[in-house]
Short mmCIF file of all heavy atoms in Angstrom, two decimals:
data_model
loop_
_atom_site.label_atom_id
_atom_site.label_comp_id
_atom_site.label_asym_id
_atom_site.label_seq_id
_atom_site.Cartn_x
_atom_site.Cartn_y
_atom_site.Cartn_z
N LEU B 318 80.09 93.52 -28.57
CA LEU B 318 80.68 94.85 -29.07
C LEU B 318 79.98 95.32 -30.31
O LEU B 318 80.27 96.31 -30.86
CB LEU B 318 82.19 94.64 -29.37
CG LEU B 318 83.02 94.51 -28.10
CD1 LEU B 318 84.51 94.13 -28.44
CD2 LEU B 318 83.03 95.72 -27.26
N CYS B 319 78.91 94.56 -30.75
CA CYS B 319 78.15 94.97 -31.95
C CYS B 319 76.91 95.71 -31.39
O CYS B 319 76.04 95.18 -30.76
CB CYS B 319 77.77 93.91 -32.82
SG CYS B 319 76.60 94.35 -34.08
N PRO B 320 76.78 97.09 -31.63
CA PRO B 320 75.62 97.78 -31.14
C PRO B 320 74.40 97.56 -32.02
O PRO B 320 73.36 98.21 -31.78
CB PRO B 320 76.08 99.26 -31.18
CG PRO B 320 77.10 99.30 -32.29
CD PRO B 320 77.75 97.95 -32.38
N GLY B 321 74.47 96.76 -33.01
CA GLY B 321 73.28 96.52 -33.83
C GLY B 321 73.68 97.00 -35.23
O GLY B 321 74.19 98.14 -35.40
N PRO B 322 73.45 96.14 -36.21
CA PRO B 322 73.91 96.50 -37.60
C PRO B 322 73.04 97.47 -38.23
O PRO B 322 71.83 97.53 -38.09
CB PRO B 322 73.82 95.09 -38.32
CG PRO B 322 72.80 94.26 -37.55
CD PRO B 322 72.84 94.75 -36.12
N ASP B 323 73.63 98.39 -39.09
CA ASP B 323 72.81 99.23 -39.99
C ASP B 323 72.72 98.41 -41.35
O ASP B 323 73.17 97.29 -41.53
CB ASP B 323 73.41 100.63 -40.11
CG ASP B 323 74.76 100.64 -40.78
OD1 ASP B 323 75.16 99.72 -41.40
OD2 ASP B 323 75.42 101.65 -40.74
N ASP B 324 72.18 99.22 -42.32
CA ASP B 324 71.92 98.54 -43.60
C ASP B 324 73.16 98.00 -44.33
O ASP B 324 73.25 96.93 -44.86
CB ASP B 324 71.08 99.41 -44.55
CG ASP B 324 69.61 99.47 -44.10
OD1 ASP B 324 69.29 98.65 -43.30
OD2 ASP B 324 68.89 100.37 -44.64
N LEU B 325 74.22 98.85 -44.23
CA LEU B 325 75.50 98.53 -44.91
C LEU B 325 76.11 97.31 -44.27
O LEU B 325 76.75 96.41 -44.87
CB LEU B 325 76.41 99.70 -44.92
CG LEU B 325 77.72 99.53 -45.66
CD1 LEU B 325 77.52 99.11 -47.08
CD2 LEU B 325 78.53 100.86 -45.69
N CYS B 326 76.01 97.25 -42.84
CA CYS B 326 76.41 96.12 -42.11
C CYS B 326 75.98 94.82 -42.66
O CYS B 326 76.68 93.79 -42.62
CB CYS B 326 76.12 96.24 -40.64
SG CYS B 326 76.95 97.50 -39.73
N LYS B 327 74.82 94.77 -43.04
CA LYS B 327 74.25 93.48 -43.52
C LYS B 327 74.90 92.94 -44.78
O LYS B 327 74.59 91.84 -45.16
CB LYS B 327 72.69 93.66 -43.79
CG LYS B 327 71.91 93.71 -42.39
CD LYS B 327 70.46 94.20 -42.56
CE LYS B 327 69.97 94.65 -41.18
NZ LYS B 327 68.84 95.59 -41.30
N THR B 328 75.66 93.80 -45.46
CA THR B 328 76.27 93.37 -46.67
C THR B 328 77.72 92.89 -46.50
O THR B 328 78.44 92.51 -47.34
CB THR B 328 76.27 94.42 -47.79
OG1 THR B 328 77.18 95.53 -47.33
CG2 THR B 328 74.93 95.01 -48.00
N ILE B 329 78.25 93.09 -45.21
CA ILE B 329 79.69 92.75 -44.95
C ILE B 329 79.83 91.88 -43.75
O ILE B 329 78.93 91.60 -42.97
CB ILE B 329 80.51 94.19 -44.69
CG1 ILE B 329 79.83 95.01 -43.61
CG2 ILE B 329 80.62 94.91 -45.94
CD1 ILE B 329 80.32 94.85 -42.28
N ARG B 330 81.06 91.33 -43.60
CA ARG B 330 81.34 90.46 -42.43
C ARG B 330 82.47 91.01 -41.54
O ARG B 330 82.77 90.43 -40.51
CB ARG B 330 81.65 89.12 -42.88
CG ARG B 330 80.50 88.33 -43.54
CD ARG B 330 80.87 86.92 -43.76
NE ARG B 330 79.75 86.16 -44.37
CZ ARG B 330 79.55 86.08 -45.67
NH1 ARG B 330 80.43 86.59 -46.53
NH2 ARG B 330 78.50 85.44 -46.18
N ARG B 331 83.08 92.09 -41.97
CA ARG B 331 84.18 92.62 -41.17
C ARG B 331 83.97 94.25 -41.14
O ARG B 331 83.71 94.73 -42.14
CB ARG B 331 85.49 92.35 -41.92
CG ARG B 331 85.88 90.90 -41.89
CD ARG B 331 86.93 90.65 -43.01
NE ARG B 331 87.17 89.25 -42.95
CZ ARG B 331 88.03 88.63 -42.15
NH1 ARG B 331 88.66 89.30 -41.27
NH2 ARG B 331 88.19 87.29 -42.22
N PRO B 332 84.39 94.78 -40.05
CA PRO B 332 84.39 96.22 -39.95
C PRO B 332 85.13 96.90 -41.05
O PRO B 332 84.67 97.87 -41.63
CB PRO B 332 84.94 96.52 -38.58
CG PRO B 332 84.80 95.24 -37.80
CD PRO B 332 84.80 94.12 -38.78
N LEU B 333 86.25 96.27 -41.43
CA LEU B 333 87.08 96.99 -42.49
C LEU B 333 86.38 97.00 -43.84
O LEU B 333 86.61 97.89 -44.56
CB LEU B 333 88.44 96.32 -42.65
CG LEU B 333 89.60 96.61 -41.52
CD1 LEU B 333 90.81 95.88 -41.76
CD2 LEU B 333 89.89 98.08 -41.60
N SER B 334 85.61 95.96 -44.13
CA SER B 334 85.02 96.01 -45.41
C SER B 334 83.92 97.02 -45.41
O SER B 334 83.64 97.69 -46.45
CB SER B 334 84.25 94.66 -45.80
OG SER B 334 85.02 93.61 -45.10
N TYR B 335 83.28 97.38 -44.33
CA TYR B 335 82.33 98.37 -44.18
C TYR B 335 82.96 99.62 -44.52
O TYR B 335 82.51 100.42 -45.38
CB TYR B 335 81.82 98.41 -42.76
CG TYR B 335 80.70 99.52 -42.45
CD1 TYR B 335 79.40 99.13 -42.19
CD2 TYR B 335 81.04 100.84 -42.36
CE1 TYR B 335 78.41 100.02 -41.96
CE2 TYR B 335 80.09 101.79 -42.23
CZ TYR B 335 78.74 101.36 -41.94
OH TYR B 335 77.79 102.38 -41.63
N TYR B 336 84.15 99.92 -44.00
CA TYR B 336 84.87 101.17 -44.19
C TYR B 336 85.23 101.30 -45.64
O TYR B 336 85.14 102.42 -46.23
CB TYR B 336 86.19 101.17 -43.33
CG TYR B 336 87.01 102.43 -43.36
CD1 TYR B 336 86.49 103.55 -42.67
CD2 TYR B 336 88.12 102.57 -44.12
CE1 TYR B 336 87.21 104.79 -42.79
CE2 TYR B 336 88.91 103.75 -44.17
CZ TYR B 336 88.36 104.83 -43.47
OH TYR B 336 89.11 106.02 -43.56
N GLY B 337 85.75 100.20 -46.25
CA GLY B 337 86.10 100.25 -47.64
C GLY B 337 84.93 100.67 -48.54
O GLY B 337 85.01 101.57 -49.37
N LYS B 338 83.77 100.02 -48.28
CA LYS B 338 82.55 100.34 -49.08
C LYS B 338 82.14 101.66 -48.90
O LYS B 338 81.75 102.43 -49.81
CB LYS B 338 81.45 99.30 -48.73
CG LYS B 338 81.54 97.87 -49.39
CD LYS B 338 80.20 97.23 -49.20
CE LYS B 338 80.26 95.92 -50.03
NZ LYS B 338 79.03 95.23 -50.16
N LYS B 339 82.10 102.01 -47.62
CA LYS B 339 81.47 103.38 -47.29
C LYS B 339 82.34 104.54 -47.83
O LYS B 339 81.83 105.45 -48.37
CB LYS B 339 81.40 103.54 -45.78
CG LYS B 339 80.73 104.78 -45.26
CD LYS B 339 79.20 104.47 -45.24
CE LYS B 339 78.52 105.79 -44.63
NZ LYS B 339 77.19 105.50 -44.22
N THR B 340 83.70 104.39 -47.74
CA THR B 340 84.58 105.42 -48.29
C THR B 340 84.37 105.58 -49.84
O THR B 340 84.39 106.67 -50.35
CB THR B 340 86.09 105.26 -48.01
OG1 THR B 340 86.38 103.85 -48.32
CG2 THR B 340 86.37 105.50 -46.62
N ARG B 341 84.13 104.44 -50.44
CA ARG B 341 83.93 104.45 -51.89
C ARG B 341 82.59 105.22 -52.28
O ARG B 341 82.63 106.03 -53.20
CB ARG B 341 83.94 103.04 -52.53
CG ARG B 341 85.41 102.52 -52.77
CD ARG B 341 85.44 101.40 -53.59
NE ARG B 341 84.91 100.22 -53.01
CZ ARG B 341 85.54 99.40 -52.15
NH1 ARG B 341 86.72 99.77 -51.77
NH2 ARG B 341 84.96 98.42 -51.59
N THR B 342 81.55 104.90 -51.58
CA THR B 342 80.30 105.57 -51.86
C THR B 342 80.36 107.08 -51.47
O THR B 342 79.89 107.96 -52.15
CB THR B 342 79.06 104.92 -51.03
OG1 THR B 342 79.48 104.77 -49.73
CG2 THR B 342 78.68 103.67 -51.68
N LEU B 343 81.08 107.36 -50.34
CA LEU B 343 81.23 108.80 -50.03
C LEU B 343 81.97 109.59 -51.09
O LEU B 343 81.66 110.64 -51.38
CB LEU B 343 81.98 108.90 -48.70
CG LEU B 343 81.21 108.57 -47.34
CD1 LEU B 343 82.08 108.66 -46.18
CD2 LEU B 343 80.06 109.40 -47.18
N LYS B 344 83.01 108.95 -51.62
CA LYS B 344 83.83 109.52 -52.65
C LYS B 344 82.90 109.72 -53.94
O LYS B 344 82.97 110.86 -54.54
CB LYS B 344 84.92 108.59 -53.04
CG LYS B 344 86.05 109.25 -53.83
CD LYS B 344 87.29 108.33 -53.95
CE LYS B 344 88.32 109.04 -54.76
NZ LYS B 344 89.56 108.32 -54.82
N LYS B 345 82.11 108.81 -54.29
CA LYS B 345 81.21 109.02 -55.48
C LYS B 345 80.28 110.11 -55.21
O LYS B 345 80.01 110.95 -56.03
CB LYS B 345 80.40 107.66 -55.65
CG LYS B 345 81.05 106.68 -56.56
CD LYS B 345 80.26 105.58 -56.83
CE LYS B 345 80.99 104.26 -56.98
NZ LYS B 345 80.39 103.16 -56.51
N GLU B 346 79.73 110.16 -53.93
CA GLU B 346 78.89 111.33 -53.62
C GLU B 346 79.56 112.71 -53.85
O GLU B 346 78.93 113.63 -54.39
CB GLU B 346 78.31 111.18 -52.21
CG GLU B 346 77.17 110.21 -52.12
CD GLU B 346 76.86 109.81 -50.66
OE1 GLU B 346 77.22 110.56 -49.77
OE2 GLU B 346 76.36 108.65 -50.43
#
Side-chain angles (χ1 to χ4, degrees):
Chain B
L318 289 171
C319 171
D323 67 11
D324 284 346
L325 185 52
C326 288
K327 286 170 195 152
T328 69
I329 51 95
R330 293 193 179 88
R331 296 161 180 279
L333 280 177
S334 330
Y335 183 109
Y336 185 77
K338 279 198 173 183
K339 187 88 177 190
T340 46
R341 280 194 291 282
T342 46
L343 287 175
K344 196 169 179 178
K345 270 185 213 144
E346 279 166 23

